[in-house]
């Protein structure tokens, strides 16, 4: 009996579970990094207003804008990772359901064959 497809199914489930673990770790790292950046932005010390011509706030404005862009990029990466994680979890669940259905059916066939062999 050719059950090579079952081996492939089990392999796909193992791969999905491994990928899900990787995505969980990436998600955790991204969340930590976003928290760090939020803390960094929150603790930025904004100097008192400088009269025109006595200083250049352009550099500070550029830095703040760069941090905002970085936060948006990280949030987008986090959202993408969460979406990918959800898709991997759904695929793993689907494969698990299919695997259990195959197992149930194979066990039923085995029981019927055992019954025939005893006859």
């Amino acid at each position: 009996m050719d059950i090579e497809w079952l081996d492939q199914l089990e392999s796909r489930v193992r791969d999905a579970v491994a990928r899900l673990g990787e995505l969980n770790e990436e998600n955790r790292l991204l969340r930590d990094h976003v928290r760090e950046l939020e803390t960094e932005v929150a603790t930025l010390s904004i100097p008192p207003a400088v009269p025109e011509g006595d200083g250049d706030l352009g550099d500070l404005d550029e830095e703040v804008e760069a941090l905002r862009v970085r936060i948006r990029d990280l949030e987008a990466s986090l959202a993408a990772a969460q979406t990918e994680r959800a898709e991997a979890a759904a695929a793993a669940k689907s494969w698990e359901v299919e695997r259990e259905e195959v197992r149930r059916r194979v066990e039923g066939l085995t029981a019927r064959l055992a019954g025939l062999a005893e006859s």
Side-chain angles (χ1 to χ4, degrees):
M1 183 171 168
D2 184 23
I3 61 168
E4 186 175 307
W5 61 270
L6 187 56
D7 292 337
Q8 291 174 349
L9 177 63
E10 288 176 331
S11 175
R12 289 172 52 195
V13 169
R14 281 192 299 274
D15 291 345
V17 168
R19 181 67 179 137
L20 190 56
E22 292 169 4
L23 289 172
N24 281 333
E25 179 62 16
E26 183 179 343
N27 191 12
R28 186 191 63 75
L29 292 172
L30 286 171
R31 285 180 189 268
D32 290 346
H33 194 62
V34 166
R35 278 190 213 105
E36 290 170 10
L37 288 174
E38 287 173 341
T39 301
E40 185 179 333
V41 168
T43 59
L44 279 178
S45 148
I46 309 252
V50 177
E52 228 176 279
D54 287 350
D56 186 12
L57 293 180
D59 289 342
L60 182 59
D61 289 340
E62 288 175 17
E63 186 178 342
V64 168
E65 184 56 30
L67 287 172
R68 286 185 179 137
V69 168
R70 182 71 177 132
I71 288 172
R72 282 194 298 271
D73 290 347
L74 287 171
E75 287 172 340
S77 294
L78 178 61
Q82 288 173 330
T83 299
E84 191 174 338
R85 177 180 173 224
E87 289 170 354
K93 180 65 178 169
S94 172
W95 292 330
E96 186 65 31
V97 167
E98 184 178 342
R99 180 179 173 192
E100 289 306 313
E101 174 66 13
V102 168
R103 179 174 294 174
R104 184 188 63 76
R105 293 171 83 179
V106 168
E107 287 172 354
L109 289 171
T110 303
R112 288 175 65 189
L113 286 173
L116 289 174
E118 291 175 0
S119 301

